[in-house]
Amino acid sequence: MSRNLTGFTPSGRLHIGNLVGAMRPIAAAQRADDPDATVAFISDLHALTLDHDPALVRERTLEFATLLIAAGIDPERSLLFVQSHVAEHTELHYLLECATGFGEVRRMIQFKEKSGRQEQQVRLSLLTYPVLMAADILLYGTTEVPVGADQRQHVELARAVAERFNARYGPTFAVPRAVLPPVAPRLRDVFRPEEKMSKSAPPGSGVLHLLDEPAALRRTIARAVTDSAADVAYEPETRPGVANLLALLAACTGGDPAELAGGFTGYGELKRAVADAVVAVLEPLQQRYAELAADPGYVHGVLRDGAARASAIAAPTVRAAKQAIGLMADQPPQG
Ligand code: AMP
């Protein structure tokens, strides 16, 4: 059995990089004959590890879920839910903490980077969230976790914890593996092409949000950083701004960025084509979003069903882990 799983943390706002790099691939992997094989969830608990605004986390959680459905995540063909609605995530988190070394999480690159940047007190959850991520993954018998290179270390931790737990307490968890994208589909900030397009970039960055008005998308693309060369060519190393625009065009229209380059004689023309292509992809998504947002009862219903389905998979995993690690069953064995 194979199962792949991806979480979206409701901090910041979803952008076209998320759509191309994660949302569309999940939508493409869905299977009508096995709706539980593709798991997408809003990882709201992970939004609490840094300074956060409670009302905004709540609002974004619903917004993300609605956007995932608008982008083609079909609750009939995949599993979609909110992490905090499935209590087994935090339950397994604690059990896995009892199988994880302090040194193992202390050396996580993301902890070092994020804790170094923090002005306020560093939350303990910033240290331990990779163990919660391991729980997110192991609860569902996940075999494949599609991630970018920056998340690879977290999946390695989940593997290490699963293997150690299984070796010490008996076979309990499937051992997952990270699946990196075949090409490097890292869309970049169009104003700072040396950086990846990021959910948490400050306002005024070159990020194309999924819910930006078409006019705003066009303005951002018109102001994209290019270079002073006279021709249009795909040279990611030396001309990252133009390469990123071509990658964006290819992601929206299909085709190969290097070949698409040949169709343009100047940057003005290229930017207009990119703007048209981005708007052509996002406008229908935004329309679908508006319809769904007008009926939040439907989205809440999808999330409620999703949580019940998720719990039906997760609960037996937690029960097995509790039993294996030495906790007494809450009911005497039957028979
Ligand atoms: P994040 O925004 O870092 O929480 O990532 C959510 C998902 O979107 C992950 O699967 C990422 O690999 C994907 N993703 C995030 N940023 C980009 C980007 N700039 N280009 C392509 N994929 C991205």
Side-chain angles (χ1 to χ4, degrees), residues 32-314:
D33 64 336
D34 190 358
D36 292 341
T38 312
V39 181
F41 66 102
I42 316 300
S43 38
D44 54 349
L45 296 170
H46 291 290
L48 311 183
T49 57
L50 299 171
D51 191 29
H52 75 285
D53 172 347
L56 211 51
V57 171
R58 226 176 346 256
E59 189 182 308
R60 295 254 155 90
T61 298
L62 184 62
E63 180 184 295
F64 275 35
T66 310
L67 275 169
L68 286 169
I69 302 172
I73 312 291
D74 172 3
E76 304 281 318
R77 292 186 294 138
S78 59
L79 187 48
L80 175 63
F81 61 93
V82 176
Q83 182 191 29
S84 68
H85 295 177
V86 182
E88 285 82 1
H89 285 256
T90 43
E91 209 176 356
L92 186 61
H93 178 197
Y94 179 75
L95 299 181
L96 296 185
E97 279 191 355
C98 300
T100 308
F102 174 69
E104 265 182 309
V105 289
R106 179 67 190 81
R107 63 167 183 267
M108 288 275 145
I109 292 161
Q110 299 241 345
F111 176 73
K112 287 188 187 162
E113 283 179 4
K114 289 184 181 165
S115 62
R117 259 187 263 137
Q118 282 274 91
E119 284 161 21
Q120 280 138 333
Q121 177 167 258
V122 173
R123 297 181 182 178
L124 185 56
S125 54
L126 187 62
L127 177 70
T128 60
Y129 84 87
V131 188
L132 177 58
M133 246 180 99
D136 299 338
I137 296 168
L138 301 186
L139 269 179
Y140 299 98
T142 307
T143 48
E144 276 135 46
V145 191
V147 282
D150 53 339
Q151 292 291 327
R152 195 188 189 134
Q153 204 184 23
H154 289 145
V155 183
E156 289 308 316
L157 179 77
R159 276 181 76 86
V161 172
E163 281 170 349
R164 183 177 317 129
F165 195 104
N166 289 346
R168 235 181 247 173
Y169 306 115
T172 309
F173 299 118
V175 179
R177 66 184 185 96
V179 186
L180 298 183
V183 278
R186 291 269 120 186
L187 289 178
R188 292 157 181 275
D189 186 299
V190 299
F191 297 163
R192 295 173 302 159
E194 62 290 348
E195 311 254 340
K196 83 163 191 172
M197 199 179 277
S198 160
K199 244 173 20 200
S200 46
S205 303
V207 177
L208 302 168
H209 294 109
L210 298 184
L211 292 177
D212 283 348
E213 301 272 344
L217 293 166
R218 288 182 187 280
R219 267 197 309 276
T220 305
I221 294 166
R223 290 170 48 222
V225 168
T226 51
D227 53 44
S228 55
D231 63 334
V232 177
Y234 184 69
E235 290 163 13
E237 295 302 322
T238 50
R239 299 168 66 184
V242 176
N244 189 45
L245 288 176
L246 289 164
L248 199 49
L249 184 63
C252 292
T253 60
D256 175 74
E259 279 169 24
L260 287 170
F264 299 98
T265 49
Y267 292 150
E269 193 191 352
L270 171 64
K271 286 180 176 179
R272 276 191 299 280
V274 172
D276 288 345
V278 167
V279 169
V281 167
L282 294 189
E283 221 165 25
L285 187 148
Q286 293 178 359
Q287 273 163 16
R288 179 92 184 102
Y289 176 85
E291 286 162 20
L292 290 161
D295 183 9
Y298 168 75
V299 180
H300 281 288
V302 165
L303 296 175
R304 199 168 43 242
D305 290 351
R309 277 167 57 198
S311 196
I313 302 170

